[in-house]
Amino acid sequence: MEKLASRCVMESRLLKRHARYFVALSSSSSSSLQQQQQQIRAYNSHYTLVSGASPAREVVGTDEQEQQQELERTTTTTSSLPEAPGLKEAEEVGQSPSETSKYWGVVGKTYTKEDGSTWSWKCFKPSDTYQSDMNIDLKKHHKPENFSDSFAYWTVKSLRIPTDLFFRKRYGCRAMMLETVAAVPGMVGGMLLHCQSLRRFQHSGGWIKALLEEAENERMHLMTFMEVSNPKWYERALVFTVQGIFFNAYFLLYVISPRLAHRITGYLEEEAIYSYTSFLAEIDNGHIPNGPAPAIAIDYWRLPKDATIRDVVMVVRADEAHHRDVNHFAADIHKQGKELHEAPAPVGYH
């Protein structure tokens, strides 16, 4: 049985190779008929030597038209193979998938906007866009109730001091730095909950998706502000350093105390709200130009076409308020002695 199975696998692989060979052969317009006949003879000898199966039929005949018809009949079996999913759609919109895409059948879909124009973003789909809830309470604050809360609160406050000294009134670069850090907790929390779910053979209650959504949303903030600010080389180096330190520190903290980790993130989001409020004040005072909103922001938050930087900062601030609520909510669940999967996850909470 093992020899028979091995033989079947080998035959299957050879047949697939045979089919791909004739697809390439039939699509080649540069080689002459004699060259194609020579290639078939070489292939027959190799195929017969390896498998002992019947070789491909060689094109014979004196009439050139008959030879061409025979060659087409030789390769008809390849044309009946099932088409890779997505190839037909790609051809309809004028795309030319690479040979790799054709082989694996992985072809990206093309989307259109409501006005019929082509969707130009690959990093997110139209279904990922939304209109931010601007009615959320921006002044909500969790008062420290115990040592753990106080530790989280004053840790975040102390981190604000070097940030204020370094960036001062450069709120564009400040927002960029803030988002490189703010996108880490959701990813770390979602990753660790994912591993926990695998170890314990239990559902996460939707919290894995909720935290990864938060991380992706924060990353989109960064992609937006990269359009309006041009960080210098030393600021990029600072991002690299801070992210490396913060990721590892937050990872260890989440393993030791998820409650403290979420509380710290909640206070970080409160500071983000304060920073974006100051950003808006600088725009309103005329200290920062209120230019047009980046195209990526208009599509992601479904903003009007004439939206400005101020509109972008408004929706980003609202997002941060939602992240504040999610993380303080998660910390309160742990405070009650429960685990996150025991409470409904705020999936899609923007």
Side-chain angles (χ1 to χ4, degrees), residues 5-21:
S6 176
R7 180 71 177 179
C8 290
V9 171
M10 183 180 71
E11 287 289 336
S12 175
R13 291 176 178 174
L14 287 171
L15 287 174
K16 290 180 180 179
R17 186 186 302 171
H18 195 174
R20 291 197 301 269
Y21 173 83

Side-chain angles (χ1 to χ4, degrees), residues 104-319:
W104 294 111
V106 180
V107 181
K109 293 184 178 180
T110 300
Y111 301 95
T112 56
K113 299 181 182 179
E114 295 179 354
D115 58 3
S117 59
T118 303
W119 185 260
S120 57
W121 309 107
K122 295 181 179 180
C123 53
F124 64 100
K125 301 178 293 184
S127 58
D128 298 325
T129 64
Y130 64 97
Q131 288 182 323
S132 188
D133 178 17
M134 305 298 293
N135 296 321
I136 191 168
D137 186 1
L138 300 173
K139 297 181 179 180
K140 192 182 297 182
H141 168 66
H142 176 80
K143 295 182 179 180
E145 299 175 353
N146 49 42
F147 174 78
S148 177
D149 289 352
S150 298
F151 177 80
Y153 178 77
W154 288 111
T155 297
V156 173
K157 284 295 185 181
S158 64
L159 292 175
R160 185 180 181 87
I161 297 174
T163 305
D164 289 341
L165 293 175
F166 184 81
F167 290 104
R168 297 184 184 276
K169 297 292 184 178
R170 293 180 298 142
Y171 285 100
C173 292
R174 185 193 190 100
M176 177 206 66
M177 171 63 76
L178 179 66
E179 300 303 341
T180 60
V181 173
V184 170
M187 179 59 67
V188 171
M191 176 184 65
L192 290 176
L193 287 180
H194 172 76
C195 294
Q196 184 185 82
S197 176
L198 298 178
R199 292 194 308 270
R200 297 183 178 181
F201 303 96
Q202 69 180 15
H203 293 285
S204 69
W207 277 94
I208 295 174
K209 185 175 182 179
L211 294 178
L212 293 181
E213 279 182 351
E214 176 185 316
E216 174 64 12
N217 183 247
E218 298 284 10
R219 191 183 68 84
M220 289 303 298
H221 294 176
L222 175 62
M223 296 298 103
T224 298
F225 284 112
M226 285 294 294
E227 298 291 328
V228 298
S229 63
N230 186 21
K232 300 178 175 60
W233 69 267
Y234 58 85
E235 291 173 336
R236 292 177 179 270
L238 181 62
V239 168
F240 187 87
T241 304
V242 170
Q243 187 184 82
I245 295 173
F246 185 74
F247 179 92
N248 289 283
Y250 193 85
F251 180 92
L252 293 175
L253 179 62
Y254 203 99
V255 171
I256 297 171
S257 176
R259 170 188 169 184
L260 178 59
H262 280 293
R263 190 67 78 195
I264 287 178
T265 305
Y267 286 130
L268 280 173
E269 301 295 353
E270 289 185 17
E271 291 298 320
I273 295 171
Y274 176 81
S275 295
Y276 284 118
T277 300
S278 300
F279 195 167
L280 287 171
E282 291 295 305
I283 294 175
D284 293 340
N285 293 332
H287 299 157
I288 297 178
N290 187 24
I296 189 172
I298 293 175
D299 287 339
Y300 184 68
W301 283 286
R302 302 178 187 174
L303 297 173
K305 292 184 178 180
D306 58 349
T308 63
I309 295 297
R310 190 181 193 282
D311 298 320
V312 174
V313 177
M314 290 281 289
V315 294
V316 170
R317 185 178 63 171
D319 285 348

